Amino acid sequence: MTVAPGDTLSAGAPRGAGTGFIARDALISRVEGAWPVKLLIVQAPAGYGKSHVARQWWHRLGAAQVPRGWIGLDESDASPEQFVEKLLKSLTGLAPDTAPRLLALLGSAVAFPERELLEGLARAIGPEQERLVLFLDDYHLIHGTPASTFVARLMKGMPLRLNLVLTTRKKPDFPLARLRLSGDVLELGQSDLCFTAEEASAFFEENCQAVLPEHTIAEIHHRTEGWPAGMRMAAISLSNMTGTAATRSVFDQADTQDQISEYLFDEVLRNLPEDLARFMFETAILTRFSVETCEGILGWTDAADRLRELAERNLFLIRLDGPEGRYRYHHLFQELLLARVSEAQRRDVSARASQWFEDEDRIVEAVRHALLAELEERAVELVEKHAVNRLLQGYVLETRRLLDMIPADLQRDRPGIVLCHLWLLMQGASPEDAATRLEEARLAMERLREADHDAGIAPSEISVMEVGMLSAMENFPAAKEKARGLLERLPPDRPYLSGTLANILGHVDLALGELSSARRYFEHARAVHSAARHYFGVFMADLLLGLTEKNAGNLRLSEQILRQSIRESQTRLGPGSYPEALASVALAEILYEYNDLRAAEQLFHQHHQVARSWALVVQQISMDLLEIRLLAAAGHRDEAVRKLDLASLQPKMKFERYLDRLIAERLRLTADRADVSPPPGRPRTASAGEDGPDFVREFAAIAAIRRMISEGESLGAIRATEKLLEQNHAAQRKRREIEVLVLRALAFHNLRQMQDAAAALTEALRLSEGERFVRTFLDEGPQITDVLRHLSRDQSLTIDPGIRNYINQLLAAARAGGATPARPAAQAGQAALLEELTHREQAVLAQLALGNTNEEIGGNLGMKLPTVKWHLGNIYSKLSVKNRAQAILSAQHLGLTPAHTKVGDG
């Protein structure tokens, strides 16, 4: 949708109101007298000028400086995704911050994010917004569809300042009784839209070249009963007559409205050149057409001239919104044209259109026209051929549309389509649903083999999916066993399988604490997906690599990876996408550890709803814990405990290790209350494990250590930490090692063994100094602060000056009650530089730092070459650099690219 030029208060301006119309001042005055109503319905059959009346009201509102949006609907908008996409595009100019984020979410979410969209729209059109009037033209085309269900829910919960205007042939399919009782609906019907005698005279005076006697106009008005479309066709027909023919009745052979429309339509066609009429019949088959499609599909090399002639003759041609220059006919005229086209001709044009759209890589339209041509096998083959690749490139919304276009009965025996559904489910972390789909794919493949048909699916693809489901369901040993040797057996012509399996195996090793192996898998996955331009795989590899470095205690590197992932997702998918949300909540955890509570809370609340909808279980638990910790850090500890207890009742708590994490967190929050009761999920006694637990069981061991400390069994807690420290040190899991050292210091403090407590805490400080760990210490409360004071005051202890400074910073943060410490001067300078660069300039600089040429930057960001050069000039000026090499070094300094990026000459 496009914003009307020069009109900052409108979005998706209506098209098509050219000649052949008159002002309906009486109707508009009636609407003005009833305004503002929550809902205006303009309902009548085809040809009554519903859209024309709405357009006039649109322009009247514009003159009054009322913000408004216009959406012209068609049959494809029955899908809620398609409808909401149009809705958000129509609101982009009015909600420039919210609408693009919701569009990115819609385009990247693996299932329709209805709740998040409704809440986002409510925020976009909130109490602070001026009244917004939203026009939905041709609403009957989505009547009884999922899109109309979304509109009903929007109506139910929408702000009072949002008003809807519907033009429709059918009564809306949502309840109107309450709105009628409250006077919040105005309905204009068929009788309201009929021309009065005075309007009929004005119409023919403006639109008919022949001068008609009053009695002829009166007869036409009587026979058409004021039907605007009938009068318009009569005016076109009479304009081609001269002499006495111009004054005769044009209705000698017609009685009913249908007969009148048929007769007048034939009169219009009879006076057209034969080739122009043929052009109209052929373009009507396409439904929506442009100069490009008329030339490429229909072979009309003079299509631009033909369209111009139709407009000049006022032949019911309507220009659609958007920059593509697309057109359609008035619906009534379209129906009359198609009634005279043979089925064979329809199928032929649709088949040619399907092939042309495939050649143009417009697969959704190619499938739609294949179905119109009754080429169901071709439609299915197109989806099987393109859907998975579209998904891997990040086009999730297009993938869902392709799958939704194929009837369910055609999908069951097509393993390729079933597997595409499976890929979507795996992206959305739905292992149980994916297991059902996987069985469907197996059965479909077996049926095809029995019929001696090639399924087109490599058995290894099924195996990759099985490994993924086992991993998602936390059955890590089985996942590793299933994957043994599989990576080497994957077909080289399907790189997405190799990249996906590497991400899955990396996730398994990350869950098992095997960080070095996980890191290698994620780096391999990123390289494979990046080479194949499978951006979703790249995003997932970056996210999981960032989590790996966080678990390794490399917070700064993790922050750098996650910020880079966020920037790339914004560049590829726009702001607010699903990959951005996942990386953002992971980044919020790091900001929380830095004690940057304000930034962590802002980032978390901006993205957590989207991330929760599709995140893996491990990420959902991390989000629960972060929300709980933010509440506690803000002084709302009782609310934090309550939320923790609610979280423990969720279905995801069937995984024991996550319940262990909540038990440990509850013990920390309630340590000073002598409350050692577990959360209400499934009470159980955690054991520290005398022989030393493996990584998966460490959560239970830490919970047991906290319980022992709370119950005064500090010696047992100290003994339990020894095996954990040995394990985590050997595996280079620095973050866990720091956590266990802090618990060890806490246990020694309870025994009043201050020297031992100081030794344990000093080691923790040594490991964490360079990574800005703060909350790991502060969240343990006054006991750890007491040990920090002891370290600060006891001059007999030999402590590195850097660690002494670190201790003083932690004590200052503790005295501030958790307030965010000031950024170092260097970081403040970096932030100032980043703020000076626009979002577009940051995107260009990030692309430059990746080693891309100007042409590649333009291709990746959708810019023309002069625009890229213009942005680079601004960047050089703002960063005070003279060439590309210096700009890349600045990008590294600002954290816009990893430090190992090659810096070339220039």
Side-chain angles (χ1 to χ4, degrees):
M1 314 297 286
T2 55
V3 178
D7 185 356
T8 59
L9 295 175
S10 69
R15 297 290 186 91
T19 58
F21 297 91
I22 60 168
R24 307 299 304 272
D25 293 332
L27 272 180
I28 299 303
S29 296
R30 182 176 165 188
V31 174
E32 281 185 323
W35 203 257
V37 290
K38 196 169 184 180
L39 177 63
L40 168 61
I41 301 173
V42 186
Q43 178 188 348
Y48 275 86
K50 301 180 291 295
S51 299
H52 176 58
V53 170
R55 289 187 196 100
Q56 289 195 10
W57 178 232
W58 159 280
H59 290 298
R60 188 71 63 90
L61 290 172
Q65 297 291 293
V66 177
R68 68 258 197 258
W70 181 284
I71 302 177
L73 299 170
D74 56 43
E75 292 85 350
S76 65
D77 298 321
S79 156
E81 291 91 346
Q82 182 94 347
F83 171 78
V84 173
E85 183 179 30
K86 277 191 174 180
L87 171 61
L88 292 171
K89 286 182 178 179
S90 77
L91 297 177
T92 299
L94 303 173
D97 295 328
T98 305
R101 287 193 166 275
L102 293 177
L103 272 169
L105 165 62
L106 179 67
S108 62
V110 295
F112 182 58
E114 181 178 282
R115 186 189 67 179
E116 292 81 3
L117 291 168
L118 287 170
E119 291 176 354
L121 286 167
R123 289 193 299 272
I125 314 168
E128 70 280 357
Q129 170 71 271
E130 297 181 66
R131 172 171 286 112
L132 171 67
V133 185
L134 183 62
F135 291 73
L136 302 181
D137 191 29
D138 292 329
Y139 185 79
H140 56 276
L141 295 175
I142 64 169
H143 184 279
T145 69
S148 69
T149 302
F150 184 87
V151 173
R153 289 172 182 161
L154 183 65
M155 280 283 298
K156 186 176 180 181
M158 71 180 179
L160 294 176
R161 288 185 172 272
L162 176 63
N163 305 91
L164 280 184
V165 178
L166 309 182
T167 68
T168 178
R169 295 186 191 180
K170 299 177 181 178
K171 175 184 172 183
D173 51 347
F174 48 80
L176 296 175
R178 181 174 56 83
L179 291 171
R180 285 171 175 153
L181 284 174
S182 61
D184 281 331
V185 61
L186 174 62
E187 298 172 81
L188 299 180
Q190 179 174 332
S191 60
D192 300 304
L193 296 171
C194 289
F195 280 177
T196 64
E198 292 77 12
E199 287 175 325
S201 295
F203 175 81
F204 279 104
E205 183 177 342
E206 289 185 21
N207 294 283
C208 187
Q209 296 177 10
V211 178
L212 301 181
E214 283 299 324
H215 69 84
T216 301
I217 295 174
E219 181 183 0
I220 296 172
H221 181 259
H222 171 71
R223 297 290 294 273
T224 61
E225 298 180 343
W227 179 39
M231 292 193 176
R232 189 173 173 190
M233 282 193 283
I236 295 171
S237 177
L238 290 169
S239 294
N240 294 299
M241 301 178 186
T242 57
T244 57
T247 60
R248 68 174 177 79
S249 169
V250 296
F251 303 105
D252 291 342
Q253 302 175 27
D255 293 312
T256 67
Q257 192 176 86
D258 285 345
Q259 290 175 334
I260 290 170
S261 65
E262 292 279 343
Y263 175 78
L264 290 174
F265 179 74
D266 288 338
E267 285 292 300
V268 169
L269 291 181
R270 188 168 59 83
N271 291 286
L272 290 179
E274 183 178 345
D275 57 346
L276 185 60
R278 184 163 58 86
F279 177 82
M280 293 175 68
F281 286 125
E282 291 183 3
T283 50
I285 298 172
L286 293 177
T287 308
R288 304 288 189 271
F289 46 91
S290 63
V291 171
E292 183 185 26
T293 54
C294 292
E295 290 176 347
I297 299 170
L298 303 175
W300 289 90
T301 56
D302 58 347
D305 295 333
R306 300 290 177 181
L307 290 168
R308 192 177 303 111
E309 185 176 359
L310 290 178
E312 290 171 353
R313 288 174 175 267
N314 193 23
L315 284 173
F316 296 87
L317 186 68
I318 297 173
R319 178 162 182 173
L320 300 174
D321 302 321
E324 303 91 348
R326 294 190 307 150
Y327 298 84
R328 70 169 174 85
Y329 295 110
H330 184 284
H331 292 306
L332 174 64
F333 204 69
Q334 168 96 0
E335 291 165 7
L336 292 169
L337 284 167
L338 289 177
R340 287 160 172 76
V341 174
S342 70
E343 285 297 321
Q345 189 177 3
R346 284 199 203 194
R347 287 194 295 270
D348 175 65
V349 170
S350 296
R352 282 187 278 149
S354 178
Q355 185 60 59
W356 187 85
F357 281 120
E358 184 188 9
D359 294 341
E360 294 293 312
D361 201 33
R362 294 161 65 175
I363 307 304
V364 170
E365 291 169 279
V367 172
R368 183 172 73 83
H369 281 281
L371 291 170
L372 289 173
E374 300 180 15
L375 300 174
E376 293 180 341
E377 181 66 21
R378 170 174 168 75
V380 172
E381 288 174 353
L382 282 169
V383 174
E384 286 188 309
K385 179 180 178 182
H386 294 283
V388 169
N389 197 48
R390 282 294 198 269
L391 173 62
L392 295 170
Q393 290 177 344
Y395 302 117
V396 182
L397 181 57
E398 182 179 343
T399 304
R400 295 209 314 270
R401 283 179 184 162
L402 287 170
L403 293 173
D404 289 343
M405 293 173 78
I406 303 300
D409 60 321
L410 295 179
Q411 294 191 22
R412 281 191 292 270
D413 290 328
R414 305 305 291 246
I417 290 182
V418 175
L419 278 178
C420 190
H421 279 291
L422 186 57
W423 279 99
L424 273 173
L425 291 168
M426 292 301 295
Q427 293 282 359
S430 304
E432 291 84 359
D433 294 336
T436 302
R437 283 286 184 179
L438 187 62
E439 187 57 31
E440 289 179 11
R442 275 207 195 90
L443 293 173
M445 288 180 69
E446 289 175 7
R447 286 192 292 269
L448 286 175
R449 285 196 194 102
E450 290 172 2
D452 199 25
H453 288 304
D454 179 14
I457 303 298
S460 53
E461 187 161 358
I462 297 283
S463 299
V464 170
M465 292 294 95
E466 287 178 321
V467 175
M469 284 185 297
L470 290 169
S471 169
M473 292 187 285
E474 304 270 298
N475 192 345
F476 302 124
K480 294 198 81 165
E481 180 61 30
K482 182 72 180 177
R484 193 180 304 278
L486 180 58
L487 199 58
E488 293 75 20
R489 299 197 308 270
L490 295 177
D493 61 335
R494 301 190 185 188
Y496 64 90
L497 293 179
S498 174
T500 299
L501 183 59
N503 269 336
I504 294 169
L505 292 176
H507 173 254
V508 170
D509 282 343
L510 174 60
L512 294 174
E514 299 169 10
L515 302 187
S516 296
S517 175
R519 194 179 285 117
R520 288 193 297 271
Y521 276 126
F522 296 141
E523 289 172 349
H524 172 74
R526 193 190 202 289
V528 171
H529 282 306
S530 182
R533 297 178 180 263
H534 295 156
Y535 300 120
F536 253 58
V538 173
F539 296 141
M540 190 56 66
D542 283 343
L543 171 67
L544 292 170
L545 186 58
L547 296 178
T548 301
E549 298 302 345
K550 184 185 72 170
N551 284 3
N554 303 321
L555 299 189
R556 291 178 182 275
L557 179 57
S558 177
E559 177 191 7
Q560 185 182 51
I561 293 169
L562 293 171
R563 288 192 185 279
Q564 178 72 10
S565 179
I566 290 168
R567 282 188 289 271
E568 288 189 6
S569 65
Q570 289 174 338
T571 300
R572 296 287 181 191
L573 303 173
S577 66
Y578 156 58
E580 180 191 352
L582 290 179
S584 294
V585 294
L587 177 60
E589 290 184 66
I590 293 175
L591 295 177
Y592 174 83
E593 183 59 58
Y594 290 167
N595 200 31
D596 194 346
L597 302 182
R598 186 180 306 161
E601 185 171 19
Q602 181 179 1
L603 200 61
F604 175 77
H605 286 295
Q606 183 178 356
H607 293 284
H608 78 101
Q609 285 186 333
V610 175
R612 284 186 190 280
S613 299
W614 323 115
L616 296 169
V617 174
V618 62
Q619 295 163 308
Q620 295 194 35
I621 299 299
S622 295
M623 283 185 276
D624 287 340
L625 287 172
L626 178 58
E627 186 173 17
I628 289 162
R629 288 168 181 165
L630 285 168
L631 282 169
H636 307 300
R637 191 158 48 152
D638 289 339
E639 174 64 14
V641 173
R642 186 189 69 83
K643 194 167 279 290
L644 187 152
D645 289 344
L646 288 174
S648 69
L649 297 172
Q650 298 302 312
K652 54 182 172 273
M653 286 308 139
K654 65 186 178 183
F655 300 119
E656 293 281 324
R657 66 179 181 139
Y658 299 130
L659 187 57
D660 291 332
R661 290 183 71 180
L662 291 186
I663 291 172
E665 189 68 18
R666 196 180 200 283
L667 288 165
R668 184 185 67 76
L669 289 171
T670 59
D672 61 342
R673 305 180 185 181
D675 178 6
V676 295
S677 59
R682 279 179 294 163
R684 64 192 194 85
T685 302
S687 168
E690 294 183 1
D691 296 328
D694 61 19
F695 183 74
V696 174
R697 298 296 297 165
E698 282 186 5
F699 295 112
I702 288 174
I705 291 169
R706 286 194 178 277
R707 184 185 299 280
M708 285 187 279
I709 292 173
S710 298
E711 294 176 343
E713 299 176 14
S714 295
L715 282 174
I718 291 167
R719 284 194 296 270
T721 61
E722 292 170 359
K723 287 288 186 180
L724 285 177
L725 287 173
E726 182 182 337
Q727 261 181 209
N728 284 283
H729 182 75
Q732 298 183 329
R733 296 192 291 263
K734 187 167 61 175
R735 188 179 182 215
R736 182 64 55 78
E737 189 177 359
I738 293 167
E739 180 185 1
V740 177
L741 283 166
V742 171
L743 288 176
R744 187 175 176 86
L746 195 59
F748 277 123
H749 179 275
N750 286 357
L751 294 172
R752 301 187 182 280
Q753 297 179 17
M754 213 58 168
Q755 292 301 108
D756 291 325
L761 199 61
T762 300
E763 179 62 13
L765 291 166
R766 185 187 67 79
L767 292 172
S768 58
E769 177 198 4
E771 298 295 343
R772 293 180 61 195
F773 280 84
V774 177
R775 295 308 307 190
T776 292
F777 299 95
L778 296 189
D779 286 347
E780 297 302 334
Q783 293 94 333
I784 292 300
T785 306
D786 193 31
V787 181
L788 287 169
R789 288 197 196 95
H790 173 78
L791 287 169
S792 177
R793 293 168 181 166
D794 192 341
Q795 298 302 315
S796 66
L797 297 173
T798 304
I799 300 176
D800 181 90
I803 293 181
R804 280 199 179 277
N805 184 49
Y806 186 23
I807 291 168
N808 291 332
Q809 290 177 1
L810 290 173
L811 287 171
R815 285 192 297 271
T820 302
R823 287 184 176 185
Q827 291 182 5
Q830 291 175 17
L833 278 174
L834 276 176
E835 289 172 4
E836 190 173 343
L837 295 174
T838 67
H839 291 303
R840 211 61 172 146
E841 288 166 354
Q842 289 184 36
V844 171
L845 182 57
Q847 290 284 322
L848 177 68
L850 292 173
N852 291 332
T853 65
N854 290 356
E855 290 77 8
E856 289 170 337
I857 294 172
N860 291 336
L861 300 182
M863 294 179 182
K864 294 182 178 179
L865 191 58
T867 306
V868 174
K869 292 179 179 178
W870 182 73
H871 281 307
L872 286 174
N874 290 337
I875 291 168
Y876 290 175
S877 175
K878 291 179 181 181
L879 297 182
S880 299
V881 299
K882 297 180 179 180
N883 54 44
R884 297 172 80 90
Q886 292 176 353
I888 290 174
L889 289 173
S890 292
Q892 293 173 356
H893 178 67
L894 295 172
L896 288 174
T897 187
H900 60 266
T901 299
K902 182 179 179 181
V903 180
D905 298 328

